[in-house]
Amino acid sequence: MTDAQPSPPAWYRDGIDHIWLPYTQMKTARPPLPVVRSEGARLHLADGRVLIDGIASWWTAAHGYNHPHILAAVEAQLRRLPHVMFGGLVHEPALRLARRLAEIAPGDLERVFFAESGSVSVEVALKMAVQYWLNRGETRARFVFFRHGYHGDTTGAMAVCDPDEGMHARFSALLPRHLMAELPEDDARTRALDALLARRRHEIAGIVIEPLVQGAGGMRFHAPAVLATVARLAQEHGVLLIADEIFTGFGRTGTLFASEQAAVVPDIMTLSKALTGGVAPLSACLARAHVFAAFCDDDPEKALMHGPTYMAHALGCAAANAALDLFAREDRLAQVAAIAEQMRTELAPCRDLPAVREVRVKGAIGVVELREPPDLEALRAAFVARGVWIRPLGQVIYLTPPLTIAPDDLSRLTGAIRAVLAD
Ligand SMILES: Cc1ncc(COP(=O)(O)O)c(C=O)c1O
């Protein structure tokens, strides 16, 4: 038990042999750390140690943990109405949130379908696209997706992930075959994507992309012009564009939505993660007016056939409304710009380290990519020993801190990366 405290609390001892952790070889992995409290950019462990969080709980806690405004909104909602089924019934936090998302989303992305996780909102987006074409009298069930892309772990989402990056190759027998393409980052790739769409447009329902940053596939950045090219080709060939802004949404790349930087209005957009500020599970699938119009009909068969039990969870919607208040009230995008500048300065010395292949920063995402795969367990432990919570993705050490992180705390994170790599 290197990372865990020497004498963990009773709940840890009693429960640990019954839990199954994500992406974890349960036989060999080091024991997980017991967290008992969170606050701002800090996680408090059961043994009293405090870690500065460089990951913001898988990119969700944009406003820091336990923000009083979000907590108050959730507490008030909890007493009024924690949850009610969304079939035939609606509630104020969901409708208010839908209106507000429609207002801030690009263009006429004005219709909101709620779900409970990012992956499920991707499933909804894919089904929405397929049924959009069915409702218009066409059968199109294939999607174009991009190498290094990641869109979630459910079956439909896995089928549009890079099979290798997403560790989903082993499930290939389960998955429908879609069409993987390279991002159009040069003329040859643009011509290849153009040709693919020209050849198969009548079977392609849409193109799925993480705009500007491919997150779980290695924190890879592409220029707004690349996204603009994808959007142009989608339009020219008459296929839908699905922007998965689950990671990039809510300021992470420097604008509220990454699509804005290419002036792109996707036909469908998925949101989750920072939507509730990391307080409750909730996701949203936004559709443009013309997409929604394809479902509005006298024919009941043309209704969107999806409805998760916990969709539009009232506590999640209350948290999300409060998180949107914070975006309106506090200048998060200025904070993102400041974080970017500080990371650029403080991560730059890593370039001189022999183990480092590249250092890159976009918005509040800082990346130090190594030349070789590290011993991940040892690397994680070294970070914990320095009082920071950083979880590299393979060769990619990255920071996605809360957007509210104080400069000193951010320096602790960047300093830990420099020190651990220098060691
Ligand atoms: C771009 C993107 N899409 C979808 C997902 C899946 O979201 P969830 O883990 O909430 O199912 C993720 C998760 O990391 C993601 O980064």
Side-chain angles (χ1 to χ4, degrees):
M1 304 245 328
T2 314
D3 292 345
Q5 60 164 14
S7 167
W11 59 261
Y12 187 99
R13 289 194 309 272
D14 294 346
I16 196 68
D17 287 337
H18 301 281
I19 207 75
W20 199 331
L21 296 167
Y23 312 115
T24 300
Q25 175 44 261
M26 298 295 293
K27 182 171 178 186
T28 55
R30 297 184 191 207
L33 303 175
V35 180
V36 291
R37 201 157 64 80
S38 57
E39 182 194 15
R42 288 177 158 69
L43 299 173
H44 294 250
L45 304 185
D47 61 1
R49 282 179 297 169
V50 179
L51 303 181
I52 296 174
D53 187 353
I55 307 298
S57 277
W58 275 333
W59 327 327
T60 61
H63 311 279
Y65 294 102
N66 301 46
H67 195 293
H69 182 63
I70 303 182
L71 295 196
V74 173
E75 278 165 7
Q77 186 61 43
L78 177 64
R79 282 186 289 274
R80 266 198 307 274
L81 173 75
H83 173 65
V84 67
M85 64 182 281
F86 215 59
L89 302 171
V90 292
H91 50 78
E92 190 259 353
L95 266 53
R96 205 155 83 82
L97 179 59
R99 179 184 56 75
R100 295 175 82 186
L101 289 175
E103 271 169 21
I104 59 174
D108 62 344
L109 280 162
E110 61 186 31
R111 215 30 98 147
V112 182
F113 189 97
F114 288 113
E116 351 69 327
S117 73
S119 298
V120 172
S121 70
V122 170
E123 301 288 333
V124 172
L126 300 178
K127 287 173 69 175
M128 198 181 265
V130 168
Q131 201 180 339
Y132 168 88
W133 291 110
L134 281 178
N135 287 356
R136 292 163 53 114
E138 286 188 57
T139 300
R140 298 190 185 199
R142 263 189 228 294
F143 291 91
V144 172
F145 63 94
F146 294 102
R147 186 180 300 285
H148 306 303
Y150 175 83
H151 300 282
D153 286 352
T154 52
T155 308
M158 273 199 291
V160 290
C161 295
D162 181 320
D164 300 319
E165 296 288 342
M167 299 171 294
H168 295 148
R170 67 201 69 175
F171 302 110
S172 59
L174 173 71
L175 303 179
R177 297 259 176 269
H178 296 305
L179 305 163
M180 186 160 81
E182 304 289 339
L183 279 169
E185 291 179 297
D186 56 33
D187 287 349
R189 289 175 175 190
T190 304
R191 279 196 303 275
L193 182 59
D194 192 18
L196 173 69
L197 292 167
R199 220 171 39 247
R200 304 188 67 165
R201 56 190 287 180
H202 296 296
E203 51 177 314
I204 294 172
I207 304 177
V208 189
I209 185 168
E210 292 162 272
L212 302 194
V213 183
Q214 295 178 302
M219 296 291 162
R220 294 160 195 273
F221 306 157
H222 56 263
V226 174
L227 176 61
T229 299
V230 173
R232 175 178 61 78
L233 292 176
Q235 191 168 32
E236 281 174 12
H237 292 284
V239 305
L240 296 177
L241 180 66
I242 300 173
D244 178 349
E245 294 240 16
I246 287 168
F247 171 41
T248 53
F250 302 106
R252 185 55 67 181
T253 69
T255 44
L256 199 53
F257 301 104
S259 299
E260 289 171 29
Q261 292 181 41
V264 159
V265 181
D267 299 292
I268 297 173
M269 182 165 91
T270 53
L271 298 173
S272 189
K273 299 223 182 249
L275 173 62
T276 66
V279 169
L282 184 74
S283 62
C285 183
L286 277 64
R288 290 185 64 180
H290 79 96
V291 173
F292 181 71
F295 291 78
C296 274
D297 200 277
D298 294 329
D299 181 356
E301 294 287 312
K302 290 194 174 177
L304 179 62
M305 285 300 163
H306 202 95
T309 303
Y310 279 108
M311 73 178 289
H313 193 269
L315 298 183
C317 291
N321 276 311
L324 288 186
D325 293 342
L326 295 176
F327 271 110
R329 230 185 253 174
E330 300 173 9
D331 198 346
R332 286 286 174 273
L333 298 183
Q335 287 172 302
V336 171
I339 289 171
E341 200 177 312
Q342 190 180 341
M343 288 198 297
R344 257 183 217 114
T345 307
E346 294 181 0
L347 293 177
C350 294
R351 288 201 178 93
D352 300 332
L353 299 171
V356 172
R357 173 186 288 160
E358 192 184 49
V359 175
R360 53 185 184 269
V361 172
K362 187 187 283 286
I365 308 168
V367 178
V368 177
E369 184 165 339
L370 305 181
R371 291 184 195 281
E372 304 288 336
D375 175 345
L376 275 180
E377 293 278 355
L379 200 53
R380 287 170 186 164
F383 285 129
V384 170
R386 288 182 181 271
V388 297
W389 182 240
I390 297 176
R391 268 179 79 84
L393 284 165
Q395 295 170 228
V396 173
I397 300 172
Y398 73 93
L399 295 175
T400 51
L403 308 184
T404 50
I405 192 164
D408 285 354
D409 286 348
L410 186 55
S411 290
R412 291 266 313 274
L413 292 167
T414 54
I417 293 179
R418 288 196 310 268
V420 166
L421 291 185
D423 282 353

